[in-house]
Amino acid sequence: MNHTEVIKKLFLLFCTAWFGLFFSQESYSQYYEVRHQYENMEENDVKALPYIQLYINKAKKERKYEKLVQGYKDGVFYAFLDEQKLKYADSMIWAADLSHDKDLITTAHIDKGVIYYYNYKKYQLALNEYLKAYEYSKNTRNEYLKYQNLYHIGVVKSYLGYYDEAAELFGKCLTYYREKSKSNLHPNEIYNNKKGYFNSLHQLIICYRHSGKNKEMNEAIEKGLSEVGDSRDYAQEKAYFLMSKGISEYEDKHYELALSDLNQSLPSIVKSRDFARLSVNYFFIGKSYLSLKDTKKSIGYFKKIDSIFNKHQFLLPELRENYEILIDYSKKHKDQAQQLYYTGQLLKADSIMSKDFSYLSPKIHKDYDTKTLLEEKNKLQKINYLVTVIIILLIIWAIGLIMLFNKKQKKAKIIRQQYILLEEKFVKEQQIPEETPVVHMEEKRTHLNGTKVEELLRKLKLFEDKKGFTQKGLTISKLALQLGTNSNYLSQVINEYKGGNFNKYLSQLRINYITNLLFEDRKYLKYNIETLAKECGIASRQNFSDLFYEINGIRPTDFIKNRMQEIEDKE
């Protein structure tokens, strides 16, 4: 392939990549353009649905499952009819499953659970979805999803009357959402986290009320009203706080104030289509009128609750009293037909609640609480195992350190003993006067000339006195030349009269010389090993260290350390 062909291929590759990037960006731009047409519409506004369908069709065609999930999620938000919301939620789960993305699957099951809970108040079906979401979210890094599901588990616990357990979950959610709502996230994420914060606070207020923690409840209500302000974005949350305030005022027997706050909260709660909280609002408005002796008005509100129950077949446990009041009212007015009707309604409500509790209570304990405890147990076991391993490793490390310390101590003791022996040897040598060697020819080889040997030994003595051995690169040939003899004769004399061969003789002179310097002059103690080696004529640091150890029985570094310590002790 020539140079021109290479350039052409690179150009084509570049163009392909560029067009791919361009069309990919254009495709995402088209998604944005379609979504931009409806994303600012209000919840439940069906005018958004045609645009959403375009969005969904495009995502389906391109098999972009993340976008498809988003399209169905938008359908859940903007559809008006509950059945339509549920249909979009089922499609959302279908698309999420195709994506194999656990976070998307978690989101889809949570959203379907919310429809069952919020739009239908079918706690059994809602809990099933939350538990599925819990399984998928175990290993997710998306903390928002974890706390979103935790919040809904808390709602089920609150409904079942496990107020302390629910309050603990809502407390965790509050901490998480509060921190996130103050961080540098996208405005939409800030909005979602603030919603999560206010809803968690409202649920915590409900737990406080049923647990009789009135002080904590009132503080939380004031906190909620103060923080929510008059923002239209959080009108529904403000209505919940006002309703809670009205209930608190009713319980404090401030009936007029209670009616004012309950009625003020009513429009937003009606608009939100939260029929469960609407029933609670009607109940406390009715109770307030009843306490003010306005029975006619109060009964009107209690009947409204019955209408909601007929439509949705759901009643919160705290509203059971509603039918007891209506039964007593019918009995008092001798209306047997109404008395029989409301008695039947109460039995039906009890049956529904009984089914809910018999299903929800064991399931939430078995499938959530027990699993959570087992997971915590496994975590603790892993931690305990890790701690055990660490302790074992620390023990081994400590034993190793002790052994190493003992070894070092033993070695230091041996080094110290060797240093003392060397020092004693040095002191003895200093005390014994040096004598000129006398040659006893009868003890030596007969072929050596006695006169020549004496002369060569005197020359060697002069060589030693003048420190000739410190010459670098000194060989037996060079020394023989310097002494006016031949290397063979010199080698024989050294072997006979110096206790070893030339190399041993030279090494002994050099090491004794440097050892004496280290004993006599402390400045040499500051020299490094390379300098000391050069000082006595040895070229290699390693060779010097090995010879020093061989002759003196101690390494030069250990000798210097002991010598310096000895000097310091004397001073």
Side-chain angles (χ1 to χ4, degrees):
M1 189 182 294
N2 60 37
H3 184 67
T4 306
E5 287 176 339
V6 171
I7 291 172
K8 281 182 180 179
K9 286 207 169 189
L10 287 172
F11 178 74
L12 285 171
L13 187 63
F14 170 77
C15 289
T16 303
W18 188 86
F19 280 118
L21 180 63
F22 174 79
F23 284 116
S24 174
Q25 288 177 339
E26 184 181 33
S27 177
Y28 277 93
S29 175
Q30 288 170 359
Y31 282 110
Y32 172 78
E33 290 298 327
V34 174
R35 200 158 185 267
H36 186 64
Q37 300 296 319
Y38 64 82
E39 64 180 352
N40 292 320
M41 294 181 185
E42 289 193 6
E43 187 176 0
N44 304 320
D45 190 340
V46 293
K47 291 196 293 293
L49 296 182
Y51 298 108
I52 291 171
Q53 197 57 50
L54 285 173
Y55 190 97
I56 288 170
N57 291 342
K58 180 175 173 58
K60 267 187 184 178
K61 185 178 179 181
E62 296 177 357
R63 295 185 180 181
K64 295 191 181 297
Y65 298 119
E66 186 178 351
K67 295 293 181 186
L68 191 55
V69 170
Q70 183 62 58
Y72 287 128
K73 187 179 179 71
D74 291 343
V76 170
F77 187 79
Y78 289 104
F80 183 80
L81 298 174
D82 295 340
E83 310 89 75
Q84 203 171 5
K85 286 180 181 290
L86 196 56
K87 189 177 177 181
Y88 276 120
D90 284 329
S91 297
M92 188 180 172
I93 291 173
W94 168 76
D97 286 338
L98 287 175
S99 75
H100 302 292
D101 185 323
K102 288 189 177 182
D103 283 0
L104 290 179
I105 298 170
T106 301
T107 301
H109 282 292
I110 289 174
D111 282 12
K112 187 176 179 182
V114 170
I115 294 166
Y116 279 136
Y117 156 67
Y118 191 84
N119 298 83
Y120 289 93
K121 286 297 181 276
K122 293 185 182 295
Y123 277 83
Q124 294 182 18
L125 296 174
L127 179 61
N128 290 341
E129 298 301 323
Y130 299 150
L131 292 174
K132 286 176 187 175
Y134 173 73
E135 289 299 322
Y136 282 108
S137 68
K138 279 181 181 178
N139 298 315
T140 183
R141 292 182 180 179
N142 189 331
E143 291 292 311
Y144 180 82
L145 282 181
K146 284 185 179 180
Y147 282 94
Q148 190 182 11
N149 204 38
L150 203 65
Y151 167 85
H152 292 295
I153 295 288
V155 170
V156 175
K157 281 183 172 285
S158 179
Y159 172 65
L160 289 170
Y162 305 129
Y163 299 116
D164 289 338
E165 293 176 26
E168 186 179 347
L169 295 180
F170 295 133
K172 290 178 180 178
C173 292
L174 271 176
T175 302
Y176 172 78
Y177 289 127
R178 185 191 297 115
E179 289 176 2
K180 288 295 178 182
S181 63
K182 293 177 181 178
S183 58
N184 296 321
L185 296 173
H186 187 276
N188 289 344
E189 292 178 291
I190 296 291
Y191 170 78
N192 288 333
N193 280 290
K194 278 192 175 181
K195 278 267 188 183
Y197 172 75
F198 290 133
N199 286 325
S200 299
L201 188 59
H202 171 237
Q203 291 292 341
L204 189 60
I205 288 166
I206 293 171
C207 292
Y208 284 151
R209 175 160 66 86
H210 289 295
S211 301
K213 297 177 180 178
N214 295 331
K215 182 183 175 184
E216 290 90 339
M217 176 187 71
N218 289 324
E219 287 174 355
I221 291 168
E222 290 306 315
K223 185 180 181 65
L225 287 170
S226 170
E227 292 185 1
V228 80
D230 295 318
S231 171
R232 288 181 60 187
D233 290 337
Y234 308 107
Q236 183 181 341
E237 287 71 28
K238 183 177 181 179
Y240 287 145
F241 294 134
L242 281 170
M243 183 178 73
S244 297
K245 188 179 180 185
I247 294 170
S248 176
E249 287 164 341
Y250 163 78
E251 290 174 345
D252 288 339
K253 299 182 180 180
H254 302 309
Y255 305 120
E256 297 289 353
L257 289 173
L259 285 170
S260 174
D261 284 324
L262 289 167
N263 280 306
Q264 192 180 338
S265 70
L266 204 52
S268 290
I269 293 174
V270 170
K271 186 179 178 181
S272 72
R273 299 164 62 191
D274 185 352
F275 62 84
R277 292 299 151 200
L278 182 61
S279 295
V280 173
N281 200 316
Y282 284 156
F283 179 70
F284 282 99
I285 290 175
K287 292 265 284 182
S288 296
Y289 278 124
L290 194 63
S291 297
L292 291 169
K293 310 301 180 186
D294 194 336
T295 306
K296 188 177 179 180
K297 276 190 179 179
S298 72
I299 294 299
Y301 282 97
F302 296 140
K303 287 181 177 180
K304 284 185 179 184
I305 295 167
D306 178 57
S307 297
I308 292 171
F309 176 67
N310 280 332
K311 183 178 179 181
H312 298 285
Q313 295 295 292
F314 176 81
L315 192 76
L316 285 167
E318 66 178 309
L319 302 186
R320 191 180 184 280
E321 186 190 349
N322 183 73
Y323 283 109
E324 292 174 350
I325 292 170
L326 288 171
I327 290 166
D328 288 343
Y329 179 80
S330 301
K331 191 187 292 185
K332 187 177 180 181
H333 287 81
K334 297 181 181 179
D335 189 336
Q336 290 182 350
Q338 285 292 295
Q339 184 182 344
L340 183 61
Y341 167 74
Y342 289 127
T343 301
Q345 290 291 83
L346 179 56
L347 289 170
K348 190 192 291 185
D350 280 345
S351 175
I352 291 169
M353 285 186 283
S354 176
K355 284 179 184 176
D356 265 356
F357 275 75
S358 63
Y359 177 87
L360 293 170
S361 188
K363 193 166 183 68
I364 202 164
H365 284 308
K366 182 182 175 183
D367 289 2
Y368 175 73
D369 290 337
T370 305
K371 280 188 178 180
T372 305
L373 285 170
L374 285 172
E375 285 166 14
E376 289 299 319
K377 181 186 174 185
N378 288 336
K379 283 181 186 176
L380 287 171
Q381 284 177 338
K382 284 180 182 177
I383 291 168
N384 287 337
Y385 173 75
L386 185 61
V387 168
T388 304
V389 170
I390 290 170
I391 289 170
I392 291 169
L393 289 174
L394 284 173
I395 291 169
I396 293 170
W397 179 71
I399 291 169
L401 279 180
I402 292 167
M403 289 174 68
L404 185 63
F405 176 77
N406 287 335
K407 188 177 178 181
K408 281 189 173 182
Q409 287 290 93
K410 190 176 179 181
K411 185 181 177 183
K413 188 177 180 182
I414 292 168
I415 288 169
R416 184 63 187 167
Q417 288 172 347
Q418 196 62 38
Y419 172 79
I420 292 168
L421 289 173
L422 190 60
E423 187 178 36
E424 288 174 354
K425 177 185 171 186
F426 172 76
V427 171
K428 276 184 181 180
E429 285 177 353
Q430 295 298 313
Q431 291 173 349
I432 299 170
E434 200 170 343
E435 297 178 357
T436 304
V438 178
V439 180
H440 300 287
M441 292 304 297
E442 66 277 9
E443 297 174 9
K444 306 300 176 186
R445 294 182 186 179
T446 56
H447 66 275
L448 292 175
N449 186 290
T451 305
K452 286 183 178 181
V453 169
E454 288 182 11
E455 182 183 353
L456 190 52
L457 287 174
R458 280 194 296 270
K459 286 180 180 181
L460 284 174
K461 179 68 172 59
L462 187 62
F463 162 76
E464 292 169 12
D465 291 342
K466 290 184 176 181
K467 312 299 186 269
F469 50 78
T470 60
Q471 299 172 55
K472 292 178 184 176
L474 184 63
T475 63
I476 192 165
S477 298
K478 288 180 182 179
L479 182 58
L481 190 62
Q482 291 175 22
L483 300 181
T485 186
N486 62 66
S487 54
N488 288 333
Y489 198 84
L490 177 61
S491 176
Q492 288 182 45
V493 171
I494 290 173
N495 278 318
E496 291 291 337
Y497 296 97
K498 296 297 182 180
N501 61 27
F502 173 76
N503 288 333
K504 184 178 179 182
Y505 165 67
L506 192 61
S507 298
Q508 190 82 43
L509 289 173
R510 286 171 168 174
I511 296 303
N512 287 344
Y513 167 69
I514 204 67
T515 305
N516 288 338
L517 288 178
L518 289 169
F519 267 122
E520 292 173 346
D521 194 340
R522 68 172 65 185
K523 78 176 181 181
Y524 288 96
L525 297 172
K526 298 176 183 178
Y527 290 178
N528 59 34
I529 302 302
E530 287 87 350
T531 305
L532 292 173
K534 288 176 184 178
E535 184 70 25
C536 65
I538 299 173
S540 163
R541 168 197 168 98
Q542 187 60 51
N543 191 31
F544 171 79
S545 186
D546 291 343
L547 288 171
F548 195 99
Y549 180 76
E550 183 185 329
I551 293 166
N552 289 332
I554 186 172
R555 291 282 171 190
T557 48
D558 293 326
F559 176 88
I560 291 167
K561 183 179 176 182
N562 276 270
R563 181 62 182 157
M564 289 179 75
Q565 184 64 52
E566 186 179 46
I567 291 168
E568 285 177 14
D569 292 342
K570 287 178 180 179
E571 292 177 348

